[in-house]
Amino acid sequence: MRQVIIAGNWKMNTSKEEADTLVMGILSGMADVKSKVIVCVPSPYMSQVEALIVHSQLNLGAQNLNINASGAFTGEISADMIKDFGVQYVIVGHSERRSLYGETDEIVAQKVQVALDNNLTPLFCIGELLEDRESGNTQVIVSKQIQAVIDQVGIDAFKNIIVAYEPVWAIGTGVTATPQQAQDTHVFIRSMLAEHDADIAQTTPILYGGSMNLSNAAELLNCKDIDGGLIGGASLKAQDFLQICKAG
Ligand code: 13P
C-alpha cells in the first residue's frame, strides 16, 4: 500500500512574512491529515520554515540543487546547503527548469543522482508538452525522461525516488488532466518501471501535478495509480492546501 504524498511547490512566491503565515496556517490544520505532506519553499525561507516545522508532521523540500558540491557557481545551491536546513526532499527536473533553464534529461538524471548520493529524496518530475500530447507522443516523451534516470542511477534507486507526472499543458493553466488521462499515464509509467523491476513498479510513488486544486483533488487522488499531488498555485493558500491534503 503506497502512502499518499502531497507536496506544495511554492515556486518563486511568498515573502518572509507570507511564508510564516502560510506554514502556521498549514500547521494549524495538520492534526487530522494522514498523508505525508511536504512544502518545497524558496531557498531564502528555508531557515525560518525549518524552525517552524520542528516536531511537526510537515516535511521540508527544496526546489532545485546544483550537481556540484561547492565552488564557483554563482546563484546556485548545493545538496549540502539545503541539508543544512533539514531538507529531506528536492524537486528535480521540473518543467520550468527544463524549459527556462535548459535542463536536459541528462542534467536532470545527474541531479537525481546527486540528490540520492546525499540522502535526499528527489521529487523527479516528468511530463509532456501540449504538442506532444496532441501528436500522440506522450508515452515517447515520458519514457525518454524516465529512461535517462534509469540509465544514470539504475532501477533499484527508485526505492528512494518519488516520481511526479506533470503534463506541461496543465501547469498553472487551470486545465487539469482528466482523472482518466492522468491515471492512464501513471499506469504507463508503472508499466515502464515494471519492465525493469515489478516490485519497484508497485512501490514507487507517482504523484500528479498540474492545476490540482480543492475541487478536483479528490477525484484525481481516488485513481488507483495516483499516489498524491505536486501542487503549485493551490499550495499557496493554507486552507486549500489542507483540503487537498485531506482529500488523499
Ligand atoms: P499548478 O498547481 O500551479 O498548476 O503547478 C503545478 C506545478 O508545477 C507543481 O510543481
Side-chain angles (χ1 to χ4, degrees):
M1 185 68 181
R2 297 178 296 266
Q3 190 190 11
V4 176
I5 301 171
I6 305 292
N9 175 9
W10 294 7
K11 308 192 180 184
M12 197 173 72
N13 292 300
T14 70
S15 63
K16 196 171 163 185
E17 199 183 326
E18 285 164 354
D20 264 8
T21 309
L22 183 49
V23 170
M24 296 302 283
I26 297 169
L27 287 174
S28 70
M30 282 293 286
D32 44 351
V33 170
K34 294 183 185 65
S35 320
K36 180 189 278 290
V37 184
I38 305 165
V39 283
C40 299
V41 309
S43 311
Y45 306 136
M46 276 174 191
S47 175
Q48 72 189 73
V49 174
E50 180 193 23
L52 288 173
I53 67 175
V54 164
H55 306 309
S56 81
Q57 295 163 257
L58 212 47
N59 299 279
L60 189 53
Q63 298 176 14
N64 185 26
L65 88 176
N66 190 275
I67 56 171
N68 296 285
S70 64
F73 303 100
T74 302
E76 289 295 288
I77 179 163
S78 73
D80 273 347
M81 288 173 182
I82 60 179
K83 285 202 301 183
D84 257 353
F85 296 100
V87 166
Q88 288 169 268
Y89 300 87
V90 58
I91 297 173
V92 174
H94 192 279
S95 70
E96 286 148 20
R97 301 286 325 166
R98 292 178 188 262
S99 66
L100 301 172
Y101 303 100
E103 293 191 8
T104 60
D105 287 345
E106 290 66 36
I107 293 173
V108 171
Q110 286 174 35
K111 289 191 172 196
V112 168
Q113 169 99 66
V114 170
L116 293 169
D117 289 348
N118 284 279
N119 296 319
L120 292 160
T121 303
L123 288 153
F124 162 48
C125 301
I126 54 176
E128 82 287 0
L129 303 171
L130 183 59
E131 66 209 55
D132 300 324
R133 176 157 286 265
E134 286 176 342
S135 58
N137 279 328
T138 299
Q139 296 188 354
V140 175
I141 298 297
V142 163
S143 46
K144 202 166 149 289
Q145 292 168 332
I146 298 173
Q147 193 60 50
V149 169
I150 296 176
D151 290 346
Q152 176 79 34
V153 299
I155 191 70
D156 268 3
F158 277 72
K159 284 180 189 145
N160 298 310
I161 292 175
I162 299 170
V163 176
Y165 169 58
E166 300 205 303
V168 181
W169 47 271
I171 295 178
T173 58
V175 180
T176 317
T178 63
Q180 193 61 52
Q181 283 173 321
Q183 165 68 13
D184 287 350
T185 309
H186 284 224
V187 167
F188 171 73
I189 295 164
R190 228 179 271 296
S191 71
M192 193 188 162
L193 296 176
E195 283 172 22
H196 298 268
D197 188 309
D199 288 342
I200 285 188
Q202 282 313 310
T203 51
T204 300
I206 308 178
L207 316 186
Y208 168 81
S211 298
M212 194 188 266
N213 57 41
L214 56 132
S215 17
N216 59 31
E219 214 189 341
L220 285 159
L221 295 171
N222 262 337
C223 296
K224 183 172 170 290
D225 289 281
I226 300 182
D227 306 318
L230 181 54
I231 326 292
S235 75
L236 297 170
K237 295 183 201 139
Q239 290 315 315
D240 287 22
F241 187 60
L242 279 168
Q243 288 305 317
I244 296 170
C245 293
K246 287 173 193 169

